[in-house]
Amino acid sequence: MTVGVVILVHNAFDRAEQVIRHWVKGGCPVAVHVDKNVDQKSHDEFVQALSDLNQVKFSKRHACEWGTWGIVAGTQSATTLLLTKFPQVRHVYLASGSCMPLRPVSELVAYLDSRPRTDFIESATTSEVPWTVGGLDAERFTLRFPFSWKANRRMFDGYVKLQRAVRFKRKVPAGLVPHMGSQWWCLTRQTLTAILQDPERENYDRYFKKVWIPDESYFQTLVRLYSGNIESRSLTLSKFDFQGKPHIFYDDHLQLLRRSDCFVARKIWPNATRLYKTFLTEDGSAMKGTEPNPGKIDRIFSKAVDRRTRGRPGLYMQSRYPNRDWENGVTSAPYSVFEGFSEVFENFEPWLAKVTGARVHGHLYAPDRVEFDGRQGSFSGALIDNPTLRDYNSQMFLTNLIWNTRGERQCFQFGPQDSQFISWMLATDPNANVSVISGAWAIKLFQSNKNFADIRQEAAHLDDGRICASPNGAAAIDR
Amino acid sequence: MLLPRGLNLVYDEWGGEKASGALLHTKFLSTFTDKAREELQRGQHYANSHEYKAYAAGLEQNPDLWCKWSEKYINWRQLEILGIMSKGNWA
């Protein structure tokens, strides 16, 4: 009993040849489907290059456009060919020319030998896993898609809209429950022949020809009719980025792929010389006979998606400059604002620093200078104490300060005599911890030895400024 | 060749990070003072070494860009952690 491999190829023929030779060397017969869009010359050269291997067969060719039936038709042809020509095949592994075995073929064979009746195919109903990008999940099965998504997007979208408007719905053939999952599966001869020789197949095929992206649903749905033992996961490691395109593996992913313990990975960049060298010629004996463990790789790749879509909160830089209210957090960490405390308590700042261990600044927004902790001329991230520079973008001055000092709590004093541009931000930022002793600014005036008329005028100014600058004064009070 | 317009949109506006790098300019290296002097002598640059004259004049005032808050360069991962550049979608 052995494992047969169906390989779908449409480019990078030199790499495909390399991978096919690797499979054959490992004892696996291979059936190849070459996209009909590939020109005859390239095709012939490819066939010629592999002509020394009688374990490799080429199937009838179908034109494969992404998201259309051709890919399923090609898979059907190649699978049928493989099962007919090589009766000793028990499991069929579906792969593409850019898939690469990460572990020795013998380990995959042994793994499948000990699970002779198991079908490995990711297969879930649309409601179970709403992972699709672009909004078409259940509708893939109930609308018609006669227009090309790639070449004729406007017609594609328009026709979907029209069908939604008139509430058009196709009927799913009786007995079928639509399932979806990764295109890359490994199924048993029993299950595959049951699907391919089904008397109803013509009927099912006619239905799936109009389903959107049938390569992610044809086998995934039909397998539910016949298989007695489905493991709903793919043995092929493949990751998708934030736009739903497959992540491509490069040389720098070598260690990551090694540690994944997965049998096969896609997609590999054709020029990733080091990956091909390591996994195909040295026969990657680095991995031991363990279960595939895509968890580690999953974490790293979902982190990449998270970074690309949500980013690091509180970071403003050359490639992350979010629109207002799209920041996922204005600042990167909590900080404290004290209003009136320095006026009421003598030596408040050093006391606070001693008690909390936090970094305590003076009035960061004082009109004449930035009062950094210790009244230094510059601070973390080489921010300088120039008030004009600060007021040029006072909100970003604070977001930068908080970002630059990650890991250390920042506190600063604030009051009506300060530049007020950040009042609104302080009131709306959940990281701002604002404590206010209202009216404490009057104490300084009271203690000053000024003429009464001057004091009155300044008090009016400060009081006024305070009210104008924070229309939501209530929200600014201790939360 | 026409490049896609999206390449001009270098930063993300919805909160995410795009991939970005950093360019280390020779002006910020410690060897630059000597280099500027040397180039001024050679006088091989355009517009009568106009640019290098300006550099040399600036360097006369001995501008020290190093401060207590400066960080020693280690590698690109450090620059990423500091938030100066980003891997964006790269994993």
Side-chain angles (χ1 to χ4, degrees):
Chain A
M1 292 299 148
T2 186
V3 180
V5 184
V6 167
I7 293 196
L8 311 179
V9 186
H10 67 103
N11 61 6
F13 295 104
D14 51 334
R15 289 305 188 191
E17 183 193 335
Q18 225 178 323
V19 172
I20 290 168
R21 285 186 183 278
H22 182 79
W23 283 116
V24 171
K25 210 171 113 198
C28 299
V30 176
V32 187
H33 176 264
V34 182
D35 187 347
K36 203 173 185 179
N37 294 323
V38 171
D39 64 274
Q40 196 62 39
K41 189 168 163 282
S42 313
H43 170 259
D44 292 347
E45 280 170 8
F46 182 51
V47 174
Q48 186 58 37
L50 285 163
S51 57
D52 59 315
L53 303 174
N54 52 15
Q55 294 284 84
V56 178
K57 304 287 176 209
F58 287 84
S59 81
K60 180 172 181 279
R61 295 167 67 192
H62 304 262
C64 301
E65 193 193 332
W66 183 78
T68 62
W69 173 252
I71 300 172
V72 179
T75 310
Q76 288 177 330
S77 299
T79 308
T80 311
L81 180 73
L82 185 79
L83 292 173
T84 325
K85 295 281 179 187
F86 304 100
Q88 77 276 25
V89 166
R90 191 190 49 223
H91 268 100
V92 176
Y93 201 109
L94 177 63
S96 81
S98 57
C99 289
M100 183 155 70
L102 302 182
R103 290 167 66 167
V105 176
S106 55
E107 285 192 15
L108 173 67
V109 174
Y111 186 85
L112 293 172
D113 269 346
S114 55
R115 295 157 180 81
R117 289 283 169 110
T118 310
D119 291 299
F120 295 91
I121 181 166
E122 194 182 33
S123 161
T125 59
T126 48
S127 54
E128 283 166 345
V129 192
W131 69 73
T132 46
V133 173
L136 285 174
D137 36 49
E139 284 175 324
R140 289 178 180 208
F141 299 101
T142 56
L143 302 184
R144 286 170 171 275
F145 302 93
F147 299 104
S148 159
W149 187 81
K150 276 205 166 149
N152 212 340
R153 181 83 63 92
R154 197 183 290 184
M155 291 297 279
F156 181 95
D157 288 343
Y159 202 61
V160 167
K161 234 184 228 166
L162 178 74
Q163 292 177 88
R164 281 176 182 164
V166 302
R167 307 236 170 106
F168 172 80
K169 259 200 173 153
R170 294 179 71 200
K171 240 182 102 182
V172 180
L176 291 192
V177 182
H179 279 68
M180 294 197 304
S182 163
Q183 181 190 348
W184 312 104
W185 42 250
C186 177
L187 300 177
T188 58
R189 172 184 287 270
Q190 271 193 348
T191 304
L192 278 171
T193 46
I195 292 173
L196 294 169
Q197 294 162 7
D198 191 320
E200 281 290 297
R201 178 175 151 187
E202 208 177 312
N203 187 15
Y204 295 151
D205 284 9
R206 201 180 315 121
Y207 168 75
F208 275 101
K209 274 175 190 170
K210 296 271 158 44
V211 164
W212 178 233
I213 322 184
D215 48 286
E216 287 183 356
S217 60
Y218 181 82
F219 290 97
Q220 289 73 2
T221 300
L222 292 179
V223 80
R224 290 282 165 189
L225 293 182
Y226 304 110
S227 177
N229 190 0
I230 297 178
E231 282 219 19
S232 181
R233 64 190 164 101
S234 175
L235 293 178
T236 301
L237 171 75
S238 67
K239 304 298 303 172
F240 290 93
D241 69 7
F242 71 110
Q243 290 170 312
K245 289 187 195 149
H247 258 300
I248 295 172
F249 293 109
Y250 302 97
D251 280 351
D252 49 333
H253 293 120
L254 174 64
Q255 297 309 328
L256 205 61
L257 291 173
R258 265 210 170 122
R259 278 179 286 149
S260 75
D261 290 332
C262 291
F263 288 108
V264 177
R266 90 178 295 268
K267 296 169 103 163
I268 311 293
W269 188 45
N271 295 324
T273 323
R274 212 165 126 224
L275 290 187
Y276 278 97
K277 191 163 169 282
T278 310
F279 290 113
L280 295 193
T281 57
E282 293 166 12
D283 209 24
S285 47
M287 292 195 218
K288 292 158 280 319
T290 43
E291 276 283 327
N293 181 12
K296 298 168 207 160
I297 233 172
D298 278 345
R299 267 197 302 281
I300 287 172
F301 278 83
S302 51
K303 248 175 120 179
V305 172
D306 208 48
R307 183 169 50 234
R308 181 63 189 83
T309 53
R310 295 182 58 81
R312 290 170 276 181
L315 172 65
Y316 302 81
M317 44 88 85
Q318 50 171 336
S319 60
R320 181 182 201 265
Y321 201 80
N323 291 331
R324 190 173 261 263
D325 300 331
W326 287 76
E327 301 98 340
N328 309 321
V330 186
T331 45
S332 60
Y335 55 96
S336 304
V337 184
F338 294 94
E339 192 162 336
F341 285 72
S342 303
E343 284 76 14
V344 173
F345 304 104
E346 275 177 25
N347 286 326
F348 174 70
E349 291 172 36
W351 172 82
L352 183 65
K354 217 171 96 187
V355 169
T356 61
R359 176 77 70 167
V360 183
H361 303 280
H363 289 261
L364 286 180
Y365 287 88
D368 55 331
R369 67 169 295 190
V370 181
E371 295 180 2
F372 288 123
D373 175 35
R375 303 302 178 264
Q376 324 175 52
S378 62
F379 192 64
S380 194
L383 291 171
I384 58 169
D385 67 348
N386 184 318
T388 318
L389 267 180
R390 174 199 66 200
D391 290 345
Y392 184 67
N393 193 339
S394 50
Q395 177 166 331
M396 215 138 284
F397 177 82
L398 186 58
T399 54
N400 280 343
L401 179 82
I402 303 295
W403 172 263
N404 295 341
T405 55
R406 279 161 297 151
E408 180 191 59
R409 176 86 175 206
Q410 303 296 304
C411 308
F412 66 95
Q413 321 302 318
F414 196 66
Q417 73 278 19
D418 292 338
S419 135
Q420 297 291 313
F421 299 119
I422 57 155
S423 306
W424 178 250
M425 172 187 164
L426 291 182
T428 50
D429 182 7
N431 276 333
N433 209 307
V434 186
S435 312
V436 179
I437 300 178
S438 60
W441 49 266
I443 296 173
K444 259 194 179 159
L445 288 183
F446 174 72
Q447 288 170 335
S448 74
N449 189 26
K450 285 185 186 169
N451 289 333
F452 184 72
D454 295 340
I455 291 180
R456 191 170 57 183
Q457 198 182 358
E458 202 173 330
H461 172 69
L462 290 176
D463 203 28
D464 208 31
R466 182 87 202 97
I467 292 162
C468 294
S470 34
N472 54 337
I477 290 167
D478 202 2
R479 11 183 196 134
Chain B
M1 193 174 76
L2 268 181
L3 291 172
R5 279 202 307 188
L7 290 181
N8 291 323
L9 310 172
V10 293
Y11 60 88
D12 190 285
E13 297 177 288
W14 299 350
E17 295 174 30
K18 289 192 172 185
S20 57
L23 195 68
L24 179 61
H25 201 290
T26 52
K27 276 203 276 276
F28 299 126
L29 294 178
S30 60
T31 54
F32 188 66
T33 316
D34 296 337
K35 175 79 177 158
R37 252 185 235 122
E38 182 193 321
E39 291 305 323
L40 211 56
Q41 255 170 22
R42 285 178 61 229
Q44 295 295 313
H45 292 274
Y46 75 100
N48 206 11
S49 298
H50 178 78
E51 204 145 302
Y52 276 93
K53 274 180 188 160
Y55 292 151
L59 291 167
E60 285 301 303
Q61 293 158 27
N62 207 11
D64 189 0
L65 296 176
W66 185 267
C67 73
K68 156 178 182 195
W69 306 103
S70 305
E71 295 220 21
K72 195 180 160 90
Y73 173 76
I74 303 169
N75 56 21
W76 67 266
R77 289 183 194 277
Q78 169 202 26
L79 297 185
E80 223 231 332
I81 291 166
L82 289 174
I84 288 167
M85 53 189 261
S86 174
K87 283 196 291 185
N89 192 35
W90 283 65

